[in-house]
Amino acid sequence: MRACLFDLDGVLTRTAVVHAAAWKETFDAFLAAQEGVGFRPFDPVDDYDAYVDGLPRADGVRGFLASRGISLPEDAASGVPKLHTVRGLGDRKNVLLLRLIRERGVEAYPGSVRYVRAVRSAALRRAVVSSSANCQDVLVAADIADLFEVRIDAVIASARSLAGKPHPDTFLAAARMLGIVPSGCAVFEDSLAGVDAGRAGGFGLVVGVDRTGQAAALHEHGADVVVHDLAELLKDTS
Ligand SMILES: [Mg+2]
């Protein structure tokens, strides 16, 4: 391998749980207000993994609501409350996420930091590939921004019209910016959608990172290797 392409939330930083909490608060408030349907809350593990983890924000809203048989307009039109739109729910989730991040701070996984430093020492190229619009702020808050040469996040993907995960386009763009062919790159992902993207892009290695007990699903989606912490990949050399 000549390059490593890392997902952010759940791989480098302990922020996947914060995303799950923000989605839960957003969706539960919306679902509880629906008339005529029994209230079944958002499951921060199963629903999160299946429908929103790793995906662009609006795709997460659409996918989860579709699983409950609900379809909403994309944007506020006359007579539609803003919170009852795909954009409105996504914006609400982001407000809650930023509040939680402010309250709790952002922590990088120590094993991931050790691994990325080892990768840098071995002169491998390094990129962050995230569906988050807050990627740069989270990298800075976790004090790991300087470890990566290239960043592809939701802001850059939108500006360049790159399809989000599970499409491989954002990972491929990062590989291109590093000047490394996909077969020379390893992808590190904790979401099923991200592993799908790694598989679809024809990358040399897809490493699934299992933080929540979904190792089997990560393998099923095409991970070549599944670890609980990136530090496990250092065992052979340390
Ligand atoms: Mg992730």
Side-chain angles (χ1 to χ4, degrees), residues 98-118:
L98 295 176
R99 192 189 73 199
L100 288 171
I101 283 177
R102 254 195 326 272
E103 287 171 3
R104 300 181 185 183
V106 175
E107 186 193 353
Y109 286 103
S112 297
V113 175
R114 279 174 55 211
Y115 183 74
V116 178
R117 288 201 177 122

Side-chain angles (χ1 to χ4, degrees), residues 3-44:
C4 295
L5 314 178
F6 298 95
D7 173 49
L8 175 70
D9 298 295
V11 170
L12 298 172
T13 55
R14 209 183 288 277
T15 38
V17 286
V18 188
H19 281 273
W23 279 122
K24 180 167 175 57
E25 190 171 338
T26 302
F27 282 135
D28 284 357
F30 171 79
L31 292 170
Q34 296 295 296
E35 286 176 19
V37 253
F39 173 58
R40 182 156 56 93
F42 176 83
D43 185 311

